[in-house]
Amino acid sequence: MRLDIPLDLPGHSFIDQLQWLETWACLPKGALSNSADTLAAVANEGAVKMVPVLLDCMNCQAWSWPAYDAHIEADGFTYSDDPLTDMAEQIYQKYRANKMAIHRKSQMEPLKHLRPYWELCGRCASSTGDEDATLILDADDPFWTTHRVPWRCEQIDCRCYVNSLSEYERNNP
Ligand SMILES: [Zn+2]
């Protein structure tokens, strides 16, 4: 049996996550959250199941998403040659990535006394967009609530993630 991450996460209900995605992808308010039940039924079933439902939510019509246009202009990664399918897939991937990161954070938080450092890896750890960047800070550092981090990553196709480190691991990389 597959171990699914719950749809509602501490401090981030499924509806909250859908509303965040609506804002992020410049969709009209309610475009996703009004179909929460339909989306919930496929949310743990992978892109093959969820992307068609996302396309239904947009009535299969193109919309204006400036950050996506910039991503394409910068020759960013695409999942599909069809722009509309690709936009839906980018939304699915962001939903999944942020959900995993929120879940991971909820697991790291109770272990701060044992693993007091968090290491941010990927593009969000860098001011220049370096995919191999890393940044190690105290788990209690305000950075984790004020900066771009995996549980609130707004970059299209960003693979950033966070590890927790013990004192020993931090000193012996
Ligand atoms: Zn990121």
Side-chain angles (χ1 to χ4, degrees):
M1 196 182 108
R2 211 173 56 190
L3 281 177
D4 289 333
I5 296 176
L7 299 184
D8 288 310
L9 294 163
H12 303 265
S13 69
F14 185 58
I15 291 277
D16 287 348
Q17 295 169 58
L18 295 179
Q19 288 173 340
W20 187 93
L21 289 166
E22 285 167 2
T23 308
W24 175 72
C26 301
L27 285 164
K29 260 194 191 6
L32 304 178
S33 50
N34 287 350
S35 303
D37 290 346
T38 321
L39 285 164
V42 291
N44 275 325
E45 301 292 326
V48 175
K49 289 276 178 67
M50 194 162 175
V51 168
V53 179
L54 287 168
L55 285 166
D56 279 348
C57 291
M58 292 120 195
N59 300 315
C60 297
Q61 275 174 9
W63 74 99
S64 169
W65 184 3
Y68 179 80
D69 297 341
H71 174 74
I72 295 303
E73 239 167 73
D75 215 10
F77 179 79
T78 54
Y79 296 91
S80 168
D81 290 337
D82 171 54
L84 194 57
T85 306
D86 187 54
M87 288 160 91
E89 177 90 28
Q90 298 283 0
I91 292 173
Y92 167 76
Q93 295 294 341
K94 181 55 69 184
Y95 162 70
R96 191 170 164 278
N98 285 17
K99 175 173 79 166
M100 306 263 285
I102 293 165
H103 182 63
R104 190 169 172 79
K105 181 173 175 244
S106 72
Q107 293 178 320
M108 295 191 309
E109 257 165 356
L111 297 174
K112 277 182 189 172
H113 59 296
L114 296 172
R115 308 181 68 78
Y117 302 102
W118 288 357
E119 177 187 39
L120 176 59
C121 305
R123 212 189 296 166
C124 280
S126 152
S127 52
T128 55
D130 176 6
E131 298 278 355
D132 298 322
T134 58
L135 177 67
I136 299 175
L137 292 166
D138 279 11
D140 287 326
D141 196 286
F143 175 91
W144 301 110
T145 51
T146 55
H147 283 69
R148 247 176 21 211
V149 282
W151 41 89
R152 209 183 44 242
C153 176
E154 295 180 353
Q155 302 253 75
I156 292 178
D157 190 44
C158 183
R159 312 283 164 97
C160 64
Y161 61 95
V162 173
N163 288 321
S164 65
L165 303 176
S166 65
E167 191 81 46
Y168 179 84
E169 286 166 338
R170 189 215 189 292
N171 296 328
N172 299 275

